[in-house]
Amino acid sequence: MLVRIPDVLSKTQVSEMRHLIDGANWVDGNVTSGSQAALAKQNEQLAGDTLQAQQAGNIILDALQTNPLFISAALPHKVYPPLFNRYAGGQNFGNHVDNSIRPLPNSDFRIRTDLSATLFLAEPDSYDGGELIIDDTYGSHSIKLDAGDMILYPSTSLHRVTPVTRGVRVASFFWLQSMVRDDGQRTLLFDMDRSIQALTASNPDHPSIVQLTGVYHNLVRRWATV
């Protein structure tokens, strides 16, 4: 399931974040790569131990905590602290699959990567190329979103970033461990939750709302791994 989550950050928040991170310490993007990804990856990454990276990451985490679409789609249990990358001058990231387990350096924190997220921090007309291509059973999906929008997709997906031939592509990326491990089950729950919300908005007194809400929570209770 691919879910676009618009306006995770406002344009003002994006501008403030870019002001915070653009002049910080950027390093070779392979500092977080596994052996497979290191062969395909050409980009820069904001050093994760900098104050700017931590402050910017906290802004994103705070925004996600109050985003109902994100919560409905991800059913998050653990969220890896957001990282930041940028591509320019032909840099790209070839086909790869994200590592299944992602530890946080110098800590005992680790997550199973059920979902991957990319939050775009540059407007799409400010750079050429840089599309995130995600392959699934329905084909290849080319994604290039407005600054402040985010794409959420299964970490099992084969994906890549096409070469950036003009301008600079800046984004945040991170992983999530969901309370519901199976993507098919999460998709069913997401569809049901959205349907319940739509029914509540159009007919708040409908007697089926309570019953459907109960079914939703009983399925979460059955499928959750926490």
Side-chain angles (χ1 to χ4, degrees):
M1 177 176 65
L2 276 66
V3 180
R4 176 177 179 171
I5 304 177
D7 302 320
V8 172
L9 299 179
S10 68
K11 299 303 183 185
T12 298
Q13 287 176 307
V14 171
S15 178
E16 291 173 348
M17 185 170 293
R18 290 294 303 272
H19 180 75
L20 179 65
I21 68 176
D22 281 355
N25 181 30
W26 292 80
V27 297
D28 189 318
N30 279 311
V31 294
T32 57
S33 298
S35 57
Q36 177 200 49
L39 300 175
K41 186 176 185 181
Q42 300 173 18
N43 65 12
E44 290 183 309
Q45 188 168 308
L46 185 62
D49 58 356
T50 62
L51 180 61
Q52 294 94 329
Q54 294 166 7
Q55 290 176 336
N58 286 336
I59 292 171
I60 294 171
L61 293 176
D62 288 344
L64 292 176
Q65 287 180 357
T66 58
N67 189 298
L69 179 57
F70 166 75
I71 294 170
S72 178
L75 294 171
H77 175 47
K78 296 180 181 180
V79 181
Y80 196 91
L83 301 172
F84 299 85
N85 60 21
R86 66 185 183 189
Y87 296 77
Q91 291 178 321
N92 68 96
F93 199 162
N95 275 332
H96 65 285
V97 175
D98 291 336
N99 288 354
S100 56
I101 304 295
R102 180 66 62 169
L104 186 65
N106 305 314
S107 78
D108 58 0
F109 178 89
R110 64 186 60 235
I111 67 168
R112 181 187 66 240
T113 55
D114 298 321
L115 291 162
S116 300
T118 297
L119 173 61
F120 289 78
L121 297 173
E123 296 297 350
D125 61 359
S126 69
Y127 60 98
D128 292 336
E131 291 85 0
L132 174 63
I133 310 295
I134 302 172
D135 295 333
D136 63 14
T137 54
Y138 299 101
S140 294
H141 307 270
S142 179
I143 298 159
K144 187 175 181 179
L145 305 181
D146 293 341
D149 291 1
M150 187 174 83
I151 189 73
L152 191 66
Y153 59 99
S155 298
T156 54
S157 304
L158 186 69
H159 56 284
R160 58 194 177 275
V161 176
T162 65
V164 173
T165 58
R166 177 187 66 87
V168 182
R169 178 195 192 268
V170 182
S172 175
F173 65 101
F174 51 98
W175 304 272
L176 304 98
Q177 181 172 323
S178 176
M179 291 185 288
V180 175
R181 181 173 186 170
D182 182 81
D183 181 62
Q185 293 171 347
R186 276 198 316 275
T187 301
L188 289 172
L189 289 168
F190 178 63
D191 290 344
M192 178 177 284
D193 188 29
R194 299 289 282 174
S195 297
I196 292 170
Q197 292 180 40
L199 180 60
T200 302
S202 63
N203 192 350
D205 297 322
H206 197 290
S208 295
I209 293 175
V210 173
Q211 183 179 15
L212 289 171
T213 302
V215 171
Y216 172 85
H217 284 288
N218 284 334
L219 287 174
V220 173
R221 192 173 288 114
R222 175 182 289 269
W223 290 335
T225 58
V226 296

